[in-house]
Amino acid sequence: MDNHSTTPVDPRVLTVMLPYFSERFGNAASASHAFGWEAQRAVDEARAQIARLLHADSEEITFTSGATESNNLALKGVVQRYREKGRHIITVATEHKSVLDVAKRLEEEGVEVTYLPVASDGLISPDDVAAAMTDKTILISVMLANNEIGVIQPIAEIGEIARRRGVLLHCDGAQGVGKIPVDVREMGIDLLSFSAHKMYGPKGIGALYVRKQSPRLRLVPLIEGGGHERGMRSGTLNVPAVVGFGTACAICEKEMPMEGIRLTEMRTRLKDQIFLSLEEVSLNGHPTRRLPGNLNMSFAYVEGESVLMGLPDIALSTGSACTSAAPEPSYVLRALGVPNSLAHASLRFGLGRFNTHEEVDYVAGRVTQVVRRLREASPLYETAKGAVQRA
Amino acid sequence: MKFTYLDHIAATPLLPEALEAMLPYLTEHFGNPKSRHGLGTRPRLRVAEARQAVAELIGATSPEIFFTASGSEANNMAIKGVVHAHKKKGNHIIASGVEHFSVAHPLKRLEREGYRVTWLPVDRCGRVSPLDVERTICPETTLVSIMHANNEIGTIQPVSEIAAITQKAGVYFHSDMVATAGIIPIDIGVLGVDLAAISAQSFGGPKGVGVLYIRRGVRLAPIIEGGVQEDGRRAGTENVAGISGMGAAALYAKAHLGAEGERLAGLCHLLTQGLLKQVPLLHATGDPHRRLPHVASFAVEFTDGEALIRTLEQHGIFAASGSSCSADALKISPVLTAMGIPANIAQGAVVFSLGAGTTEADISTLLSVFPECVERLRQVSPLYRAHMRRVA
């Protein structure tokens, strides 16, 4: 139940990839012979499938190695390309590290960065975005859905503000694309990062949507060379992965409505069972404006890490895998104003396509059991309970 | 029709060993190596194993191996990373005039940003002179970037001689080894470079994975950041399946490249001698001795390389007229131009690159149809007819 970290490759995706590992091994850039044409055709088809999921055009999809690269390309590429226009960007305190770390690097290079705060439900206010804008603002970067608390930001409203002020909007869609509907035109998104391995496709492939008209965007590339991807990102295309990515998107497009309902149902069931059997549990993030598969809860008086150790057979996490080497409490929960003690006591549940109702019941039961056991051994919990009883 | 595939530089079929090493990580072991729960364990161990295998392939240690998404990315990372991290020292870079686009284009961008790049000439064989490197190094030089071998002409550069010079001068040396790693034996310590770019697909590994070798102690600014992966030097969830496939291909290459190199060099010799004997006005390009074992390259006078490739394809033979990375963009190879080959000859470039599946029968097939393909094209060339009248 850690589908925010990564997802298994859907067997239907793997099936379409396999021939491109063996007999169809051509280089999509070999324009002069049939092996290359075959690869090129497969890449074109995948690009169209991916574009369809976003209501974009094929030519607006640039393949990368993943959302982290896409985020780097979007932020650095825009800042370098439009530096004459201004040197101010706006982002949010709860963004993924691949946005925040890049923003920090840009600050070192003299770019002014505003980090917007979020409310206690994890949402940003479009008014704050409007208020933070100056004549020098060139870019706003706001994630579609958060990787820890699943909260879905009001992108369309921010898009409208950005559009009115002639500022570009980048959106990190790594968690949201494929899970909730995205329409880049309607939402006013100019750049959108996303990754196949968060939507049942392979690792090592992602994309950046780059708007091609009104306005037509140009970026300074991170990786230059043979001029693949219209000069935006050089390097031989990973054809099998591209093909798998396309199919993953096509499946998401088709199954998203039903899958969303099913995951929301399972999430509610998980939440209700835990809430019913344990006290002093709190939900982190907005109760409904969140990804269907996401649940993030704090269990007072226990360490999230200790709960995980008590559940060796269940794949869960306390937060982002990308920062999991750091023992600090989640900066996302801290930004919501969750006190340190509760931030340390959090668990992230990421339900996905291949989870079942039985697993939900099993996980709810096991988590309850382990939390109870840890609390019984906790002097803090004993003291608190005593105080309640005395009162 | 049976195919004769002689374009292994553009794309090499995945080794069965590599595919087998990839599949478990596309299915049951799909976990994120950075996850601390059980699903992260196997992928994490496999990435470490693969890193070790790549390290052994080039005689490095595994902490010096950093996975990227391609050889192009590794070249960009090396060049931009070193130059930006050491800009206080100076703004001068040295490179050869025959580098791959993924080296040349980042350098051209740096030139636009105010850096000074010295583009070294090459001789008729496509070789850089170490003396030129020595002469152009100055106190402001931060990086020398010279490829190990060029895959359009097969020429191997005097890398260790250049490294001796850069080491003495205290300048970092990056080498694009996409064409050589996994093909010829490499001991990175003996070669003496500080950074080297490698691509898995050059030696039967999957597309979408590369490596930058960074000698211990070399500082560079990352180009993709925002995660703890690859020691913080290259962020982004690891392409575990791809990395696993690269590891398996590296292991295979290490065991086989010696014998395979000899076999391919033998086939290339057969091919080259055959063509030189049968086709007049045909020149072998590159260094005749210090060259890649699997690349045979030519310039055919009074012939258009692209047209020749298409004619060969009608006979089921697949070859290239230059780098596939530039096939769309250019008529005349900048590499051949840098070697001083006149445009009218360089436009007849054709490159055959051999691989594991190539046999002597493939070479015979090529030799039996190549002369008539050339002849057919020349017959419709007014320049050729004029030339024949002159010599007649």
Side-chain angles (χ1 to χ4, degrees):
Chain A
M1 226 167 263
D2 192 20
N3 283 281
H4 296 312
S5 165
T6 190
T7 56
V9 177
D10 192 300
R12 293 169 287 181
V13 169
L14 184 59
T15 306
V16 301
M17 289 172 70
L18 288 176
Y20 293 92
F21 283 124
S22 45
E23 71 264 31
R24 300 184 198 162
F25 63 88
N27 184 331
S30 296
S32 50
H33 60 61
F35 280 93
W37 299 335
E38 189 175 45
Q40 184 61 49
R41 261 198 308 276
V43 167
D44 288 346
E45 165 64 14
R47 213 187 285 277
Q49 289 171 313
I50 293 162
R52 223 160 22 237
L53 179 66
L54 313 173
H55 301 267
D57 286 340
S58 286
E59 308 93 274
E60 296 177 314
I61 304 299
T62 295
F63 287 113
T64 66
S65 64
T68 291
E69 184 185 334
S70 300
N71 283 338
N72 276 260
L73 173 58
L75 268 67
K76 295 176 181 173
V78 164
V79 165
Q80 277 198 58
R81 181 68 176 76
Y82 296 96
R83 67 174 124 199
E84 257 84 74
K85 241 187 111 194
R87 301 283 277 164
H88 176 234
I89 65 175
I90 299 170
T91 185
V92 184
T94 52
E95 292 294 306
H96 187 262
K97 281 288 180 199
S98 57
V99 167
L100 293 178
D101 283 3
V102 174
K104 283 214 189 71
R105 158 102 35 198
L106 293 171
E107 273 187 291
E108 286 168 20
E109 288 168 12
V111 177
E112 197 196 327
V113 182
T114 302
Y115 299 93
L116 294 177
V118 294
S120 60
D121 58 9
L123 287 170
I124 61 165
S125 141
D127 291 344
D128 286 354
V129 177
M133 283 194 199
T134 71
D135 298 343
K136 300 208 166 55
T137 312
I138 51 171
L139 178 72
I140 304 168
S141 179
V142 178
M143 70 200 327
L144 178 57
N146 187 272
N147 52 312
E148 294 191 28
I149 53 174
V151 163
I152 299 165
Q153 299 292 0
I155 296 298
E157 288 167 77
I158 298 165
E160 206 188 306
I161 295 167
R163 187 117 302 212
R164 234 177 14 235
R165 300 283 297 262
V167 173
L168 299 175
L169 173 61
H170 166 250
C171 181
D172 173 1
Q175 294 291 341
V177 171
K179 320 286 170 54
I180 55 174
V182 173
D183 185 325
V184 286
R185 304 248 180 278
E186 268 187 18
M187 294 163 85
I189 299 170
D190 299 300
L191 299 133
L192 177 71
S193 306
F194 53 112
S195 194
H197 82 97
K198 307 281 191 193
M199 45 197 278
Y200 313 98
K203 293 179 181 61
I205 189 81
L208 181 66
Y209 155 80
V210 185
R211 183 184 284 276
K212 78 160 185 209
Q213 53 184 16
S214 60
R216 178 181 180 85
L217 275 190
R218 298 218 181 265
L219 302 176
V220 171
L222 292 177
I223 302 172
E224 300 162 272
H228 310 79
E229 300 300 279
R230 300 172 317 289
M232 214 106 67
R233 199 268 192 180
S234 291
T236 300
L237 272 180
N238 183 350
V239 179
V242 164
V243 169
F245 192 9
T247 302
C249 285
I251 294 172
C252 283
E253 192 198 8
K254 189 160 140 267
E255 299 182 357
M256 186 189 300
M258 288 313 291
E259 192 163 283
I261 292 170
R262 187 176 150 264
L263 290 177
T264 308
E265 240 172 52
M266 286 188 353
R267 180 199 55 214
T268 308
R269 184 184 175 108
L270 180 63
K271 185 179 73 177
D272 289 351
Q273 286 187 25
I274 292 174
F275 269 121
L276 277 175
S277 44
L278 285 172
E279 54 192 2
E280 299 226 38
V281 177
S282 47
L283 177 71
N284 297 315
H286 195 280
T288 53
R289 289 182 59 170
R290 66 195 304 151
L291 292 173
N294 175 277
L295 188 61
N296 190 309
M297 295 169 122
S298 286
F299 301 82
Y301 309 112
V302 301
E303 294 273 326
E305 287 300 322
S306 314
V307 182
L308 292 191
M309 269 187 268
L311 301 167
D313 58 326
I314 300 173
L316 273 184
S317 68
T318 55
S320 165
C322 296
T323 48
S324 65
E328 292 101 51
S330 150
Y331 67 88
V332 172
L333 296 183
R334 296 291 295 131
L336 265 63
V338 174
N340 251 334
S341 58
L342 285 180
H344 271 300
S346 69
L347 286 183
R348 176 182 72 168
F349 302 87
L351 292 155
R353 184 174 292 165
F354 303 106
N355 288 127
T356 62
H357 279 84
E358 289 71 39
E359 286 173 350
V360 166
D361 295 347
Y362 178 73
V363 168
R366 287 293 307 281
V367 167
T368 303
Q369 187 188 16
V370 171
V371 169
R372 273 197 192 129
R373 203 179 66 220
L374 288 169
R375 280 178 175 176
E376 275 159 23
S378 153
L380 272 176
Y381 182 66
E382 287 302 309
T383 316
K385 227 168 62 176
V388 172
Q389 276 161 5
R390 274 193 303 279
Chain B
M1 177 166 34
K2 191 192 161 296
F3 293 124
T4 303
Y5 186 77
L6 297 171
D7 193 14
H8 286 81
I9 289 281
T12 305
L14 191 62
L15 279 169
E17 287 82 355
L19 180 59
E20 201 180 313
M22 293 174 75
L23 289 176
Y25 300 94
L26 291 168
T27 51
E28 55 176 327
H29 300 303
F30 67 88
N32 186 325
K34 289 292 165 286
S35 291
R36 279 137 90 189
H37 51 67
L39 286 180
T41 311
R42 271 293 289 273
R44 189 161 54 240
L45 292 174
R46 182 55 199 151
V47 169
E49 272 175 15
R51 203 184 299 279
Q52 182 63 34
V54 176
E56 282 173 17
L57 176 68
I58 60 168
T61 62
S62 39
E64 298 173 311
I65 301 298
F66 296 84
F67 288 110
T68 67
S70 64
S72 290
E73 183 187 331
N75 277 330
N76 275 261
M77 183 175 164
I79 289 165
K80 295 176 181 175
V82 166
V83 163
H84 284 139
H86 300 275
K87 62 179 159 201
K88 285 211 181 85
K89 188 198 166 200
N91 72 339
H92 179 236
I93 307 151
I94 299 169
S96 83
V98 294
E99 295 297 311
H100 186 256
F101 280 172
S102 59
V103 167
H105 286 186
L107 288 175
K108 286 195 177 129
R109 174 169 309 279
L110 289 168
E111 273 185 320
R112 288 198 295 276
E113 287 175 12
Y115 288 87
R116 202 160 57 82
V117 179
T118 301
W119 300 95
L120 295 181
V122 293
D123 62 18
R124 295 283 299 195
C125 294
R127 280 187 43 119
V128 173
S129 153
L131 269 179
D132 282 345
V133 177
E134 192 161 29
R135 270 198 289 265
T136 47
I137 283 189
C138 64
E140 287 74 42
T141 310
T142 54
L143 182 71
V144 172
S145 183
I146 290 171
M147 69 197 330
H148 194 192
N150 186 298
N151 60 25
E152 269 182 68
I153 51 171
T155 301
I156 295 175
Q157 299 292 351
V159 166
S160 58
E161 291 161 57
I162 296 167
I165 294 162
T166 58
Q167 280 167 5
K168 211 168 69 196
V171 172
Y172 286 129
F173 181 18
H174 167 63
S175 185
D176 173 1
M177 298 197 173
V178 167
T180 52
I183 301 290
I184 62 173
I186 288 177
D187 186 328
I188 209 90
V190 170
L191 287 177
V193 301
D194 300 295
L195 304 115
I198 299 175
S199 169
Q201 60 160 348
S202 298
F203 52 93
K207 296 182 179 69
V209 214
V211 152
L212 181 62
Y213 158 81
I214 309 176
R215 189 175 54 73
R216 212 183 290 252
V218 175
R219 200 161 48 86
L220 74 171
I223 60 172
I224 300 176
E225 50 200 323
V228 297
Q229 295 88 356
E230 300 303 303
D231 223 0
R233 286 183 140 168
R234 201 283 188 182
T237 298
E238 298 90 336
N239 176 1
V240 183
I243 288 170
S244 176
M246 183 176 194
L251 204 66
Y252 185 91
K254 174 122 178 98
H256 295 91
L257 67 80
E260 180 67 356
E262 275 190 28
R263 187 183 77 87
L264 294 177
L267 292 178
C268 273
H269 182 75
L270 199 66
L271 192 165
T272 305
Q273 294 311 311
L275 289 190
L276 286 172
K277 201 163 75 193
Q278 293 180 34
V279 184
L281 301 167
L282 172 140
H283 313 273
T285 55
D287 194 300
H289 308 294
R290 290 161 296 195
R291 60 181 301 115
L292 291 169
H294 66 314
V295 173
S297 53
F298 305 92
V300 193
E301 285 190 56
F302 302 106
T303 313
D304 176 74
E306 277 301 314
L308 181 54
I309 295 310
R310 285 170 208 283
T311 314
L312 286 169
E313 190 181 335
Q314 290 163 10
H315 292 82
I317 296 169
F318 297 90
S321 176
S323 163
S324 65
C325 296
S326 57
D328 271 349
L330 296 162
K331 281 306 253 182
I332 309 283
S333 156
V335 172
L336 299 183
T337 307
M339 290 159 67
I341 296 178
N344 62 325
I345 298 177
Q347 70 159 3
V350 55
V351 184
F352 302 102
S353 46
L354 284 49
T358 312
T359 61
E360 210 172 316
D362 291 325
I363 307 303
S364 305
T365 306
L366 175 70
L367 292 177
S368 67
V369 300
F370 191 89
E372 80 179 67
C373 288
V374 171
E375 195 50 35
R376 184 139 48 103
L377 290 172
R378 283 177 174 171
Q379 284 311 325
V380 295
S381 156
L383 285 172
Y384 180 68
R385 286 200 299 265
H387 169 81
M388 291 313 280
R389 277 197 299 276
R390 264 202 314 277
V391 292

